Amino acid sequence: MKFSVHALLAFVAVGGSEAFAPTQNTASSRAGCTVVKSAVDEAVSSGTKSGGSTKDPLLIRAAKGEKVERTPVWMMRQAGRHIKEYRDLCKKYPTFRQRSEIPEVAVEVSLQPWRNYQTDGCILFSDILTPLPGVGCDFTIDEKLGPIMDPIKTWDDAKKIHPIDPSSTAPFVAETLKILRDEVGPETAVLGFVGCPYTLATYMIEGKTSKEYLEIKKMAFNEPKLLHHILNSLAESIGDYALYQIENGAQLIQIFDSWAGHLSPRDYDEFAAPYQKMILDKIKKTYPDIPTVVYIKHSGSLIERMAATGVDVVSLDWTVDMAEGRDRVAKGRESAGLAGRGGVQGNLDPGILLANHDVIKERTEEILRKAGPTGHVMNLGHGIEACTPEENAHFFIQTVRNFRHE
């Protein structure tokens, strides 16, 4: 039986079932999360499709490297400003935190691109900063300037960081994910995501967005022990936050270390990769069958290192040739002693979606051919631009859905 969003919210509001209560973020609750796991298993079981080797949605099977009937597709930042429905919704809910932290609104925004374009993935509408109040670092989002918070500069400042309890600080995430699982049905993958420690720390140490990230680099070079303390604390909590998303319906976790591309390879090895791996290892220890994806903007020099973390799928940005990227991911995994070539995601330049349909089709199909028929999730090389025409986004998605490998 399929509930509408409004019916399910009403059901939850009146306490209709304990199955929709937030899961406590403890090791014992993760091990014994019978209600949530039963619901997830039932949803997956009902989604069995002919031709697939498992009962998972198409996107999940592709992320696991299984043979699939076609390449799945979604777009980073697919929910948001390029969609008129979203812009209209902003008039009623003017702040980003309202739109992402009121479950009914977050559900509607998450569903808009899935409903309009038939994407194979429906990603939680949220932000990488969402868990930060839960670790002691509150923030505001200025609609023009972006996130603003009190910067961490000293060991005393860092004392405010504490372990997260997402069930008490982000229950709206759980509620949104559960409703999304019900709304999209078994053929579409519900995607969760988290920010990685280095990228989160850039905001916490700079106190705002930055172009050069000089404050965090100053800490890295002058007080590396302090930065490692912050990164380690974040990795523990973000790992738990990722588990919380899985327990409440996320079928894949993408980790974003967006600003790690500003690091040299040496500094990436010290300040980014180990903490990515802490999150990935925590996910795989508890949920070994949940696929993981890593994305870093401007990561051309880091692809082998990204693959060596053990992530299932490396999301390539548009500056890397897809065929070369596939080979480099395989080499990175081999160097780390990991089995298999590994998967890739991406990597159309978002600017291509401003071109005419002939260009979009030609560039999209070129990437699909270079990626091959297995282990590829089609996506953009970065988030979709706000000025992208909706008809072009729709054409891109349909181009991928209609493509078949010979």
Side-chain angles (χ1 to χ4, degrees):
M1 178 172 149
K2 190 172 185 295
F3 291 84
S4 70
V5 172
H6 296 291
L8 185 55
L9 282 168
F11 180 72
V12 173
V14 297
S17 172
E18 292 181 0
F20 295 96
T23 306
Q24 292 299 315
N25 185 36
T26 63
S28 60
S29 69
R30 288 195 292 270
C33 190
T34 308
V35 174
V36 173
K37 284 194 174 183
S38 296
V40 171
D41 290 344
E42 182 180 352
V44 170
S45 177
S46 67
T48 305
K49 295 180 65 178
S50 60
S53 60
T54 75
K55 300 175 182 180
D56 294 321
L58 174 68
L59 191 152
I60 301 303
R61 288 185 277 126
K64 291 180 176 180
E66 298 175 12
K67 185 177 180 180
V68 290
E69 53 272 31
R70 65 172 175 83
T71 301
V73 58
W74 68 284
M75 298 178 292
M76 288 184 281
R77 290 186 186 166
Q78 65 184 25
R81 293 173 296 169
H82 84 281
I83 297 178
K84 184 180 183 301
E85 291 170 279
Y86 176 81
R87 297 193 300 271
D88 291 342
L89 197 69
C90 291
K91 298 172 185 176
K92 184 175 181 181
Y93 302 97
T95 72
F96 182 88
R97 292 189 69 172
Q98 285 177 314
R99 298 189 293 272
S100 62
E101 296 182 12
I102 299 173
E104 183 175 9
V105 181
V107 167
E108 168 58 22
V109 175
S110 301
L111 290 175
Q112 286 172 355
W114 170 78
R115 196 167 53 217
N116 296 352
Y117 306 143
Q118 295 84 52
T119 55
D120 294 300
C122 180
I123 191 165
L124 168 73
F125 183 72
S126 186
D127 192 88
I128 61 171
L129 303 185
T130 294
L132 289 191
V135 302
C137 300
D138 207 351
F139 65 94
T140 59
I141 295 183
D142 184 285
E143 295 299 307
K144 293 183 179 180
L145 301 177
I148 299 172
M149 64 187 73
D150 293 332
I152 295 175
K153 303 290 187 183
T154 67
W155 281 97
D156 282 341
D157 294 338
K159 289 179 180 178
K160 68 180 180 181
I161 301 174
H162 57 72
I164 195 171
D165 177 8
S167 63
S168 62
T169 59
F172 48 86
V173 169
E175 190 172 343
T176 300
L177 286 167
K178 289 171 185 174
I179 298 171
L180 287 175
R181 279 297 295 270
D182 180 75
E183 286 291 313
V184 302
E187 295 185 359
T188 302
V190 172
L191 314 177
F193 70 94
V194 298
C196 289
Y198 181 80
T199 291
L200 294 178
T202 64
Y203 293 97
M204 295 164 62
I205 294 166
E206 305 280 341
K208 57 184 179 180
T209 57
S210 173
K211 291 184 178 180
E212 302 297 334
Y213 307 99
L214 296 180
E215 291 300 318
I216 191 170
K217 288 187 176 183
K218 184 165 65 175
M219 183 180 290
F221 304 141
N222 293 326
E223 287 198 83
K225 290 184 179 179
L226 174 56
L227 181 54
H228 280 299
H229 168 75
I230 294 169
L231 295 171
N232 188 75
S233 299
L234 285 172
E236 292 289 353
S237 285
I238 297 304
D240 286 338
Y241 181 56
L243 296 182
Y244 181 70
Q245 292 187 28
I246 296 166
E247 288 161 0
N248 287 287
Q251 295 164 287
L252 174 150
I253 295 292
Q254 178 154 324
I255 65 173
F256 287 87
D257 214 348
S258 305
W259 311 136
H262 288 258
L263 293 170
S264 69
R266 172 179 171 175
D267 293 324
Y268 174 82
D269 288 345
E270 181 175 354
F271 298 110
Y275 302 103
Q276 294 168 12
K277 194 172 187 309
M278 282 180 65
I279 295 169
L280 294 167
D281 288 349
K282 181 170 279 195
I283 292 171
K284 290 300 183 180
K285 181 179 180 181
T286 308
Y287 293 101
D289 293 330
I290 292 291
T292 55
V293 183
V294 63
Y295 176 79
I296 300 174
K297 187 179 180 182
H298 300 314
S299 58
S301 67
L302 302 173
I303 293 172
E304 291 85 355
R305 287 172 160 82
M306 294 163 69
T309 62
V311 72
D312 296 307
V313 177
V314 174
S315 192
L316 304 172
D317 76 5
W318 70 95
T319 65
V320 179
D321 177 82
M322 174 55 75
E324 294 174 5
R326 291 225 70 165
D327 289 342
R328 292 178 62 189
V329 168
K331 289 177 182 177
R333 290 180 61 86
E334 182 180 9
S335 70
L338 299 168
R341 292 190 68 207
V344 289
Q345 180 174 267
N347 64 335
L348 187 72
D349 183 342
I352 295 293
L353 296 189
L354 305 180
N356 64 62
H357 286 189
D358 288 342
V359 172
I360 294 172
K361 185 174 188 293
E362 188 271 325
R363 293 294 191 95
T364 298
E365 292 186 347
E366 178 186 24
I367 291 171
L368 289 165
R369 285 190 291 270
K370 287 185 174 183
T374 59
H376 178 219
V377 176
M378 187 65 189
N379 206 312
L380 304 177
H382 187 48
I384 188 170
E385 297 291 347
C387 59
T388 302
E390 291 180 63
E391 65 181 89
N392 285 9
H394 182 264
F395 182 79
F396 164 65
I397 298 297
Q398 293 309 307
T399 297
V400 181
R401 290 177 62 90
N402 291 332
F403 182 87
R404 295 295 184 274
H405 289 278
E406 297 179 358

